[in-house]
Amino acid sequence: MAKSSKAAKSTKARAAGAKPATVELRAIKGGKLSSKQADANPTASRRDDQPVIALDLPPVKLSPAMEAYFRKCQEKLGFIPNVLLAYAFDNTKLETFVAFYNDLMLGPSGLSKLEREMIAVAVSSQNRCYYCLVSHGAAVRQYSGNPLLGEQLVMNYRAARLNKRERAMLDFAVKLTSAPWSVEDADRERLRRAGFSERDIWDIAAVAGFFNMSNRMASATDMRPNVAYHGQAR
Amino acid sequence: MAKSSKAAKSTKARAAGAKPATVELRAIKGGKLSSKQADANPTASRRDDQPVIALDLPPVKLSPAMEAYFRKCQEKLGFIPNVLLAYAFDNTKLETFVAFYNDLMLGPSGLSKLEREMIAVAVSSQNRCYYCLVSHGAAVRQYSGNPLLGEQLVMNYRAARLNKRERAMLDFAVKLTSAPWSVEDADRERLRRAGFSERDIWDIAAVAGFFNMSNRMASATDMRPNVAYHGQAR
Amino acid sequence: MAKSSKAAKSTKARAAGAKPATVELRAIKGGKLSSKQADANPTASRRDDQPVIALDLPPVKLSPAMEAYFRKCQEKLGFIPNVLLAYAFDNTKLETFVAFYNDLMLGPSGLSKLEREMIAVAVSSQNRCYYCLVSHGAAVRQYSGNPLLGEQLVMNYRAARLNKRERAMLDFAVKLTSAPWSVEDADRERLRRAGFSERDIWDIAAVAGFFNMSNRMASATDMRPNVAYHGQAR
Amino acid sequence: MAKSSKAAKSTKARAAGAKPATVELRAIKGGKLSSKQADANPTASRRDDQPVIALDLPPVKLSPAMEAYFRKCQEKLGFIPNVLLAYAFDNTKLETFVAFYNDLMLGPSGLSKLEREMIAVAVSSQNRCYYCLVSHGAAVRQYSGNPLLGEQLVMNYRAARLNKRERAMLDFAVKLTSAPWSVEDADRERLRRAGFSERDIWDIAAVAGFFNMSNRMASATDMRPNVAYHGQAR
Amino acid sequence: MAKSSKAAKSTKARAAGAKPATVELRAIKGGKLSSKQADANPTASRRDDQPVIALDLPPVKLSPAMEAYFRKCQEKLGFIPNVLLAYAFDNTKLETFVAFYNDLMLGPSGLSKLEREMIAVAVSSQNRCYYCLVSHGAAVRQYSGNPLLGEQLVMNYRAARLNKRERAMLDFAVKLTSAPWSVEDADRERLRRAGFSERDIWDIAAVAGFFNMSNRMASATDMRPNVAYHGQAR
Amino acid sequence: MAKSSKAAKSTKARAAGAKPATVELRAIKGGKLSSKQADANPTASRRDDQPVIALDLPPVKLSPAMEAYFRKCQEKLGFIPNVLLAYAFDNTKLETFVAFYNDLMLGPSGLSKLEREMIAVAVSSQNRCYYCLVSHGAAVRQYSGNPLLGEQLVMNYRAARLNKRERAMLDFAVKLTSAPWSVEDADRERLRRAGFSERDIWDIAAVAGFFNMSNRMASATDMRPNVAYHGQAR
């Protein structure tokens, strides 16, 4: 699986050179990093796969907003999530992606942030997406305080001890992933009977839909997750 | 397949009441409406499926920017694409969706607008998405001036007389749709050999990924395409 | 997707030379051609894909019965359906095909001609058959007077607003297409509960079965539909 | 899996009452019945599953031609193939089926009768059709004089020791069965390279297509094969 | 499908040279061989496919226990099942396989030996395993005294006239084979409602699981069944 | 997903009461437990899922050999792998399973122990088996000293940076898992070209086959992995 040699240099260079400062990555601000993990980060970042993606896309100079955002990531998380570095070859794409993502995963919703991350992982498991399973599996472990739940959703969500609401939510998201053409009124009714509102149903669909996009961006580009995720919240 | 009775009123009401004025819908500005089609629109809009989606999500007051955008749609197209009405229950979601979509499908790219629409239809065919096949099938007919091409991509892209570049592009998009976990370096190399740049590969993946999201939003909500699309560019 | 060069000449030659006169093609006699479409036919026929199929099978001299049949097609429809030209390399095969088809689709049955065409399209959608979706999609539009219904059955029959009888009929036909080994008594009972007689069930199966054959003949030979179908009954 | 009680009487009655006399069933005239098998037939016919199909379709009075045909079957084979009894509720359908079948499987072709039966079994194995695997599995055993070949094609044609021509033929038939939408020029070229003519390719497709129809008729109606087939040519 | 030339000699040599004497093959001791079959064996063994598997694995000197076991096979069955010859390149593997197999298929259980063989065949049909369908299809014919049952389970277990207990058992085994990740409490409950004990459920799973292993050993090595199986208990 | 209430007590009771002493579990003797993990075990074992499986199968008195084996597990690992507790309702089954497993995974082979564990995880990922992914994922982390490799094989083995030999090995194992009927000479030749011997090919098949069995035992019984595995070798 040797990477094509030309698809590597610029992204790598940027990763090394990036020196952000005071960003908050909204995507995971709910997660607490233990001091042990914080210590581990310098090591971890040295071991990150390079390049971040298998396409040779030189970084552009970031807009002040995005530069500030990257700084906050580095400060709060100890690293910049590789998906952001992947989009950084184009400021507009980076900004629309970040806006879309942050509203979806962190904005107001009847779904808790944990529930949204659970959908992300169950969908990514169907699509066998390495990047998303690593990064959002870590988020499920963090938000839930239950490391096993993260593993179960990565491996087979049916093995998790879910309550009725969670199971209905993930059944819908997984069916929407594997056979979207077959989703019909009966499926929406099942969510309503499990207590979800009209807006909740939209949000379940929107998160499931988004990761069906993101999983494919990651697979299409062989996006590599930051090594730091692996150790988080075990 | 009766719609759940509660999921209908507000969206419908809004559709009727909407009186936008001077918007340009960038998504299809390349398409020319014949005078015959323009005449047909009043009729067509009376026959549009109601409600637009099978979820009862009352519209919010649109931001001035979105209001202007809707007006331009009405003026240029004779109707507001239902996907926009579907998102109009939440200004932030509508705006991030529009920004994301317009950059992707109309922004600068090595892929022509027609090529991007071809990917949209080939992906939507895999997912059997009624909304996207109708609306983007129309766009392929318009951009290409070849009504048969639109039909072929809806039915089976392998039946279309594609050049080598187009075929490689759609093979990648369809594989990324049906088995994203199996996309590897050899697939990217095939695109490079067909003449695509690194950035082009990103764009092919991004369009394919986006419609894997949008197809699922449409299926999850039973989104109904505007009737006017059916007659366009036949 | 260049056609193998040797597979083309004879069928093409015949298509050009054919000058039939007074046939009635029973298969679509229910469909009314608007004067606009009739006008369009000379143009359309000039644009028909050539050759009709990707096999080089020289036409034989037709029997008087088949010659008369071809003349009636030309007179009533303005063209000879390409599937007939495809079989015209062998009189016996052409005649047994026409007899089988006409009894099935136009003979006495508890299913209306529209219902039989609906099954044809739903099955052909499962098999993604370009030829049959184009020609029988046009028939659904004609018989139903509802252009959208034709499109919906081509794209995803679950998106159509079907009554209970129609839905049961298409669910059976589609299951029989995609997983024939799994059809059992419960499936037949579902048809009986929807009001179908024993003979109706046979007919549903027979139409679904036939298009599972025809779809494969078309795919195996890359059969191209007459261009005139595209514009019919929009 | 109890049969619905109403779907049984008439077909059964007819089967018992049928007393044909001097027919030749062309479909299997090449098969030689050993005297041991002939002796076994009275026993076998007593054990035949009843009814022949799970639909209650009373027989009609057969046309003289069909009556003569049934007599010949009884005389030559010792039984009337159940598929013929199944169609005997309607003379036109029976006749068009017989004409279509006999031309296809017994008419002139570059494919030997054994090769056509091999395709029948390989296709029926993909569709897991009990009726066709039993009846055409017997035909392969008879025509080939190789009982194991019949079993291998029923179970997994890849396990048979096929020559290059046979393997190419069955690969095409099986692909056309399981993924007809994906058959393209390269597949036809593979057949040409294995020595098949244009007409041979049509015939391979026609036999594969036909059994995709017949398999579905059998599954849709729970058609039961005559018990006599089981012991033939072991 | 030519075998790689180097993968043949040693196993073949051993098969010829093996002269076992007084073994009882527990696996099929319940089956009665008719005198006709016994007579046929010398012939049959001459026609056995050689080599037994497509890997060149020279036989070792068997342990006294295994030597005695092989002798009993030859004495009772008239041949040594090829699966035993396949494992005979390693005494430990042969012994652990035989011990595992004999406990599973012949040891104490709430499932009859016939029921265990029925599972074996239904699972092997899903996996299209030539070796196991031939050898265990023969066992079903023998244990049941119903040759048709063996054929039906090979072809499509849904075509067999099963009682409720048998159908529940095979439905579970087949689901466990084709989609093990989807087996949940509801599936186990269905078995309990059909009268199976906790231990019976374990045994159903264990037999189904075992043949999912054995089928793959046979496919991976192109294991050939002894010809004698084909004629047994027809 | 509530467990059926009756399926729980005996296995649980045994787990608590078990007090083994000096066993070596050969299966994982290569793995080193850090002192931190050893400390964590008391905690971990308190949190183990109960019951071990969803079937109520009371333990029997173990044979002295198995009792000794369980003691060694406890001593060396700090816990008894739940798969052993699951089989402990029957001494013969436990012993044949242990003998089969230990020869396969720890006995002499041209495949390293790590390679065998890699196959175990890649196969279990195809089958989405929670138990095996957790326990053998831990083994891959331990044997390889590369925590990421374990995660990659769990999620999508194509995302791992494998050498040519490893990739060929896992491609074969995964194909054998998902489509065993399609494995043929060309697949074995690919392994030979990657440097594997005849015996190695047998061993790859045997490990892949075994986990296709084990995965199904775990799914059929809802087997729960010991919590201690989750933290090992991160």
Side-chain angles (χ1 to χ4, degrees):
Chain A
M1 301 297 307
K3 296 295 110 185
S4 81
S5 54
K6 69 176 195 172
K9 288 143 247 163
S10 52
T11 320
K12 182 185 213 160
R14 181 178 68 256
K19 286 205 176 58
T22 60
V23 199
E24 176 198 72
L25 182 60
R26 294 177 60 199
I28 53 174
K29 72 181 173 189
K32 302 289 169 276
L33 288 172
S34 69
S35 60
K36 190 192 88 193
Q37 285 167 332
D39 291 346
N41 277 326
T43 306
S45 64
R46 286 204 311 268
R47 285 161 33 209
D48 267 1
D49 278 322
Q50 289 300 344
V52 165
I53 59 171
L55 299 175
D56 183 23
L57 293 170
V60 292
K61 171 150 180 48
L62 296 181
S63 66
M66 286 298 105
E67 212 171 279
Y69 186 60
F70 275 41
R71 269 199 306 277
K72 261 205 217 152
C73 289
Q74 184 68 41
E75 183 179 288
K76 292 270 181 161
L77 304 171
F79 62 91
I80 298 163
N82 281 345
V83 67
L84 299 180
L85 297 180
Y87 273 93
F89 71 91
D90 183 300
N91 244 313
T92 304
K93 293 189 189 305
L94 177 61
E95 285 181 347
T96 55
F97 175 82
V98 166
F100 201 102
Y101 179 86
N102 283 350
D103 173 65
L104 183 77
M105 296 301 282
L106 303 165
S109 169
L111 306 179
S112 72
K113 285 170 192 167
L114 171 59
E115 287 173 330
R116 287 179 263 181
E117 292 290 347
M118 288 171 71
I119 295 170
V121 177
V123 165
S124 302
S125 175
Q126 284 307 110
N127 291 330
R128 301 186 183 281
C129 175
Y130 176 52
Y131 185 92
C132 298
L133 286 171
V134 167
S135 57
H136 294 278
V140 167
R141 296 195 304 268
Q142 290 182 331
Y143 282 130
S144 69
N146 179 358
L148 273 66
L149 180 62
E151 293 295 286
Q152 289 160 346
L153 297 185
V154 163
M155 292 166 179
N156 184 350
Y157 79 101
R158 297 173 199 85
R161 310 296 199 197
L162 304 172
N163 63 35
K164 211 188 135 188
R165 171 183 164 97
E166 292 164 338
R167 179 64 193 251
M169 178 182 83
L170 296 187
D171 279 346
F172 186 90
V174 165
K175 182 176 183 181
L176 188 60
T177 297
S178 60
W181 51 83
S182 71
V183 171
E184 298 195 69
D185 274 352
D187 300 293
R188 288 179 284 271
E189 275 305 311
R190 224 165 279 132
L191 288 179
R192 291 181 186 115
R193 280 199 305 275
F196 290 103
S197 71
E198 302 296 291
R199 168 63 195 273
D200 293 342
I201 298 175
W202 176 280
D203 287 356
I204 294 170
V207 176
F210 180 86
F211 283 93
N212 272 287
M213 175 176 71
S214 258
N215 292 170
R216 285 173 175 85
M217 286 313 293
S219 290
T221 63
D222 193 22
M223 196 180 289
R224 314 299 298 185
N226 307 66
V227 168
Y229 287 122
H230 287 282
Q232 288 178 342
R234 292 286 176 189
Chain B
M1 302 301 308
K3 298 291 112 183
S4 81
S5 54
K6 71 177 196 172
K9 287 144 246 160
S10 52
T11 320
K12 181 187 214 158
R14 180 178 69 254
K19 286 206 176 57
T22 59
V23 198
E24 177 198 71
L25 182 60
R26 296 175 60 199
I28 53 175
K29 72 180 172 190
K32 300 291 168 272
L33 288 172
S34 69
S35 61
K36 191 193 85 193
Q37 285 167 333
D39 292 347
N41 276 327
T43 307
S45 64
R46 284 205 312 270
R47 286 163 31 213
D48 267 2
D49 278 321
Q50 290 298 344
V52 166
I53 59 170
L55 299 175
D56 184 21
L57 292 171
V60 292
K61 173 150 179 47
L62 296 181
S63 66
M66 287 297 107
E67 213 171 279
Y69 187 59
F70 275 40
R71 267 200 308 276
K72 258 204 222 157
C73 288
Q74 185 69 42
E75 184 179 286
K76 292 268 182 164
L77 305 171
F79 62 91
I80 298 162
N82 281 345
V83 66
L84 299 180
L85 296 179
Y87 274 91
F89 71 91
D90 184 299
N91 243 313
T92 304
K93 293 188 188 308
L94 177 61
E95 287 181 345
T96 55
F97 175 82
V98 167
F100 201 102
Y101 178 87
N102 283 350
D103 172 66
L104 183 76
M105 296 300 282
L106 302 165
S109 170
L111 307 179
S112 72
K113 285 170 193 168
L114 171 58
E115 286 173 329
R116 285 178 264 181
E117 292 290 347
M118 290 171 71
I119 296 170
V121 177
V123 165
S124 301
S125 176
Q126 283 307 109
N127 291 329
R128 302 186 183 282
C129 176
Y130 176 53
Y131 184 92
C132 299
L133 286 171
V134 168
S135 56
H136 295 278
V140 167
R141 296 194 304 269
Q142 291 183 331
Y143 282 130
S144 68
N146 179 358
L148 274 65
L149 180 62
E151 294 295 287
Q152 289 159 345
L153 297 185
V154 163
M155 293 167 177
N156 185 350
Y157 79 100
R158 297 173 198 85
R161 307 298 198 198
L162 304 172
N163 62 34
K164 212 188 136 190
R165 171 183 164 97
E166 291 164 339
R167 179 65 193 250
M169 176 183 84
L170 296 188
D171 279 346
F172 186 90
V174 165
K175 182 176 184 182
L176 188 60
T177 296
S178 61
W181 52 83
S182 69
V183 172
E184 299 195 69
D185 273 352
D187 300 292
R188 288 179 284 271
E189 274 305 311
R190 223 166 279 131
L191 289 179
R192 289 180 187 115
R193 280 198 305 273
F196 291 102
S197 72
E198 302 294 292
R199 168 61 195 274
D200 293 341
I201 299 175
W202 176 280
D203 286 356
I204 293 170
V207 176
F210 180 85
F211 283 93
N212 272 288
M213 175 175 73
S214 258
N215 291 170
R216 286 173 174 84
M217 285 313 293
S219 290
T221 63
D222 193 23
M223 196 179 290
R224 314 298 297 185
N226 307 66
V227 167
Y229 286 121
H230 288 282
Q232 289 178 343
R234 292 285 176 192
Chain C
M1 302 298 308
K3 298 293 109 186
S4 82
S5 54
K6 70 175 192 174
K9 289 143 245 161
S10 53
T11 319
K12 184 185 211 160
R14 181 178 67 256
K19 283 206 176 59
T22 60
V23 198
E24 176 199 72
L25 181 61
R26 296 176 58 199
I28 54 175
K29 73 181 172 190
K32 301 290 167 277
L33 289 173
S34 70
S35 61
K36 190 191 88 194
Q37 285 167 331
D39 291 348
N41 276 326
T43 308
S45 64
R46 284 203 311 268
R47 284 160 35 210
D48 267 2
D49 278 321
Q50 290 300 344
V52 166
I53 59 171
L55 299 175
D56 184 22
L57 292 171
V60 292
K61 171 150 180 49
L62 296 181
S63 65
M66 286 298 106
E67 214 170 277
Y69 187 59
F70 275 41
R71 270 199 306 276
K72 260 204 219 154
C73 288
Q74 185 68 42
E75 184 179 288
K76 293 268 181 165
L77 304 172
F79 62 90
I80 299 163
N82 281 344
V83 67
L84 299 180
L85 297 179
Y87 274 92
F89 71 91
D90 182 302
N91 245 312
T92 304
K93 292 187 190 308
L94 177 60
E95 287 181 347
T96 53
F97 176 81
V98 167
F100 201 103
Y101 179 86
N102 282 350
D103 173 66
L104 183 77
M105 297 301 282
L106 302 165
S109 169
L111 306 179
S112 72
K113 285 170 193 166
L114 171 57
E115 286 172 330
R116 287 178 263 181
E117 292 290 348
M118 289 170 71
I119 296 170
V121 178
V123 165
S124 302
S125 175
Q126 283 309 109
N127 291 330
R128 302 187 183 280
C129 176
Y130 175 53
Y131 185 91
C132 299
L133 286 170
V134 168
S135 57
H136 294 277
V140 166
R141 296 195 304 269
Q142 290 182 331
Y143 282 131
S144 69
N146 179 358
L148 274 65
L149 180 63
E151 293 296 286
Q152 289 159 345
L153 297 185
V154 163
M155 292 165 177
N156 184 350
Y157 78 101
R158 299 174 197 84
R161 308 298 198 198
L162 304 172
N163 62 35
K164 211 188 136 188
R165 170 182 164 96
E166 292 164 338
R167 180 63 193 251
M169 178 182 82
L170 296 186
D171 279 346
F172 186 91
V174 165
K175 182 176 183 182
L176 188 61
T177 297
S178 62
W181 52 82
S182 70
V183 172
E184 298 197 68
D185 274 351
D187 301 292
R188 288 180 283 271
E189 275 304 312
R190 224 166 279 130
L191 288 179
R192 291 181 186 114
R193 280 199 306 273
F196 290 102
S197 71
E198 301 295 291
R199 168 63 195 273
D200 293 343
I201 297 175
W202 177 280
D203 287 356
I204 294 170
V207 176
F210 180 85
F211 282 93
N212 271 287
M213 176 176 71
S214 259
N215 292 168
R216 285 173 175 85
M217 285 313 293
S219 290
T221 63
D222 193 22
M223 197 179 288
R224 314 299 297 184
N226 307 67
V227 167
Y229 286 122
H230 288 281
Q232 290 178 340
R234 291 288 176 191
Chain D
M1 301 300 308
K3 296 294 108 185
S4 82
S5 54
K6 71 176 194 172
K9 287 144 248 161
S10 53
T11 319
K12 183 187 213 159
R14 181 178 68 255
K19 284 204 177 61
T22 59
V23 197
E24 177 198 71
L25 183 61
R26 294 176 58 199
I28 53 176
K29 71 181 174 191
K32 301 289 169 276
L33 287 173
S34 68
S35 60
K36 191 192 86 190
Q37 285 167 333
D39 291 348
N41 277 327
T43 308
S45 63
R46 285 203 312 270
R47 285 163 30 211
D48 266 3
D49 278 322
Q50 291 299 343
V52 165
I53 60 170
L55 299 176
D56 184 21
L57 292 172
V60 293
K61 173 150 180 46
L62 296 181
S63 67
M66 287 297 107
E67 214 170 277
Y69 187 58
F70 274 42
R71 268 199 308 276
K72 258 204 220 152
C73 289
Q74 185 68 42
E75 184 179 286
K76 292 268 181 162
L77 304 171
F79 62 92
I80 299 163
N82 281 345
V83 66
L84 298 180
L85 296 179
Y87 274 92
F89 71 91
D90 183 299
N91 243 313
T92 304
K93 292 188 189 308
L94 178 61
E95 287 181 346
T96 53
F97 176 81
V98 167
F100 201 103
Y101 179 87
N102 283 349
D103 173 64
L104 183 76
M105 297 299 283
L106 303 165
S109 170
L111 306 179
S112 71
K113 286 171 192 167
L114 171 58
E115 286 173 330
R116 287 178 262 181
E117 292 290 346
M118 289 172 71
I119 296 170
V121 177
V123 165
S124 301
S125 175
Q126 283 308 109
N127 291 329
R128 301 185 183 282
C129 175
Y130 175 52
Y131 185 91
C132 299
L133 286 171
V134 168
S135 56
H136 294 278
V140 167
R141 296 196 303 269
Q142 291 183 329
Y143 282 130
S144 68
N146 179 357
L148 274 66
L149 180 63
E151 294 295 287
Q152 288 159 345
L153 297 185
V154 163
M155 293 165 177
N156 185 349
Y157 79 100
R158 297 174 198 84
R161 308 298 199 197
L162 304 172
N163 62 36
K164 213 188 134 189
R165 172 184 163 96
E166 293 164 338
R167 180 61 193 253
M169 177 183 83
L170 296 187
D171 279 346
F172 186 90
V174 164
K175 183 176 182 182
L176 188 61
T177 296
S178 62
W181 52 83
S182 70
V183 171
E184 298 195 71
D185 273 352
D187 300 292
R188 288 179 285 271
E189 275 304 312
R190 226 166 277 132
L191 289 179
R192 290 181 187 116
R193 280 199 305 273
F196 291 102
S197 71
E198 301 296 291
R199 167 65 194 271
D200 293 342
I201 298 175
W202 176 280
D203 287 356
I204 293 170
V207 175
F210 180 85
F211 283 92
N212 272 288
M213 176 177 70
S214 259
N215 292 170
R216 285 172 175 85
M217 286 313 293
S219 290
T221 63
D222 194 22
M223 196 179 291
R224 314 300 296 187
N226 307 67
V227 167
Y229 286 121
H230 288 282
Q232 290 179 341
R234 292 286 176 193
Chain E
M1 302 298 306
K3 298 291 110 186
S4 80
S5 54
K6 68 177 195 172
K9 287 144 249 161
S10 51
T11 319
K12 182 185 213 160
R14 180 176 71 254
K19 284 207 177 57
T22 59
V23 198
E24 177 198 70
L25 181 61
R26 293 177 61 200
I28 54 173
K29 73 181 173 191
K32 302 289 168 278
L33 288 174
S34 69
S35 60
K36 191 192 86 190
Q37 286 167 331
D39 292 346
N41 277 326
T43 307
S45 64
R46 285 203 311 268
R47 286 162 32 210
D48 268 1
D49 278 322
Q50 291 298 345
V52 166
I53 59 171
L55 299 176
D56 184 22
L57 293 171
V60 291
K61 172 152 181 47
L62 296 182
S63 67
M66 286 298 105
E67 212 172 278
Y69 186 60
F70 274 42
R71 269 199 307 276
K72 260 205 217 153
C73 288
Q74 185 67 42
E75 183 179 288
K76 293 266 181 166
L77 304 171
F79 62 90
I80 299 163
N82 281 345
V83 66
L84 299 181
L85 297 179
Y87 274 93
F89 71 91
D90 183 302
N91 245 312
T92 304
K93 292 190 189 307
L94 177 60
E95 287 181 346
T96 55
F97 176 81
V98 167
F100 201 102
Y101 179 86
N102 283 349
D103 173 64
L104 183 77
M105 296 301 282
L106 301 165
S109 170
L111 306 180
S112 71
K113 285 170 191 167
L114 171 58
E115 286 173 330
R116 287 178 262 181
E117 292 290 348
M118 290 171 70
I119 296 170
V121 177
V123 165
S124 301
S125 175
Q126 283 308 109
N127 291 329
R128 301 186 184 280
C129 174
Y130 176 53
Y131 185 92
C132 298
L133 286 171
V134 168
S135 57
H136 294 278
V140 166
R141 296 195 304 269
Q142 290 183 331
Y143 282 130
S144 69
N146 179 358
L148 274 65
L149 180 62
E151 294 294 287
Q152 289 159 344
L153 297 185
V154 163
M155 292 165 178
N156 184 350
Y157 79 101
R158 297 173 198 85
R161 309 298 199 197
L162 304 172
N163 63 33
K164 212 188 135 187
R165 170 184 165 96
E166 291 164 338
R167 179 64 193 251
M169 177 182 83
L170 296 187
D171 279 346
F172 186 90
V174 165
K175 182 176 183 182
L176 188 60
T177 297
S178 62
W181 51 83
S182 70
V183 172
E184 297 196 70
D185 274 352
D187 300 292
R188 287 179 284 270
E189 275 305 311
R190 226 166 277 132
L191 288 180
R192 289 180 187 116
R193 281 199 305 274
F196 290 102
S197 71
E198 301 295 292
R199 168 63 195 271
D200 293 341
I201 299 175
W202 177 280
D203 287 357
I204 294 170
V207 175
F210 180 85
F211 282 92
N212 271 288
M213 174 176 72
S214 259
N215 292 170
R216 286 173 174 85
M217 286 311 294
S219 290
T221 63
D222 193 23
M223 197 180 289
R224 315 299 297 186
N226 307 66
V227 168
Y229 286 122
H230 287 282
Q232 290 178 342
R234 290 286 175 192
Chain F
M1 301 302 306
K3 297 293 109 186
S4 81
S5 54
K6 72 176 193 172
K9 287 144 247 161
S10 52
T11 319
K12 182 187 213 159
R14 180 178 70 254
K19 285 204 176 61
T22 60
V23 197
E24 176 197 73
L25 183 60
R26 296 175 58 201
I28 53 175
K29 73 181 172 188
K32 301 291 169 275
L33 289 173
S34 68
S35 60
K36 190 191 89 190
Q37 285 168 333
D39 292 347
N41 276 326
T43 308
S45 63
R46 285 204 312 268
R47 285 162 32 210
D48 267 1
D49 278 321
Q50 291 299 343
V52 166
I53 60 170
L55 299 175
D56 185 22
L57 291 170
V60 293
K61 173 149 179 48
L62 296 181
S63 66
M66 286 298 106
E67 212 171 278
Y69 187 58
F70 275 41
R71 268 200 307 277
K72 259 204 219 154
C73 288
Q74 185 68 41
E75 184 179 287
K76 293 269 182 162
L77 305 170
F79 62 91
I80 299 164
N82 280 345
V83 67
L84 298 180
L85 297 179
Y87 273 93
F89 70 91
D90 183 300
N91 243 312
T92 303
K93 292 188 188 309
L94 177 60
E95 286 180 347
T96 54
F97 175 82
V98 167
F100 201 103
Y101 179 87
N102 282 350
D103 173 65
L104 183 76
M105 297 300 283
L106 303 164
S109 170
L111 306 179
S112 73
K113 285 171 192 167
L114 170 59
E115 286 173 329
R116 287 178 262 181
E117 292 290 346
M118 289 171 70
I119 295 171
V121 176
V123 166
S124 302
S125 175
Q126 283 307 110
N127 291 328
R128 301 186 183 282
C129 175
Y130 176 52
Y131 184 91
C132 298
L133 286 171
V134 168
S135 56
H136 294 278
V140 167
R141 297 195 303 269
Q142 290 182 331
Y143 282 130
S144 68
N146 179 358
L148 272 67
L149 179 62
E151 294 295 286
Q152 289 159 345
L153 297 185
V154 162
M155 292 166 178
N156 185 350
Y157 78 100
R158 297 173 198 85
R161 308 297 198 199
L162 304 172
N163 62 35
K164 212 188 135 189
R165 171 183 164 95
E166 292 164 338
R167 180 63 194 252
M169 177 181 83
L170 295 187
D171 279 346
F172 186 90
V174 165
K175 183 177 183 181
L176 188 60
T177 297
S178 62
W181 52 83
S182 70
V183 172
E184 298 196 69
D185 273 353
D187 301 292
R188 286 179 285 270
E189 275 305 312
R190 225 165 279 130
L191 289 179
R192 289 181 187 115
R193 280 199 305 274
F196 290 102
S197 71
E198 302 294 293
R199 169 61 194 274
D200 293 342
I201 298 175
W202 176 281
D203 287 356
I204 293 170
V207 175
F210 180 85
F211 283 94
N212 271 287
M213 176 176 71
S214 258
N215 291 169
R216 285 174 175 85
M217 286 313 294
S219 290
T221 62
D222 193 24
M223 197 180 289
R224 314 299 297 186
N226 307 67
V227 168
Y229 287 121
H230 287 282
Q232 289 177 342
R234 292 286 176 192

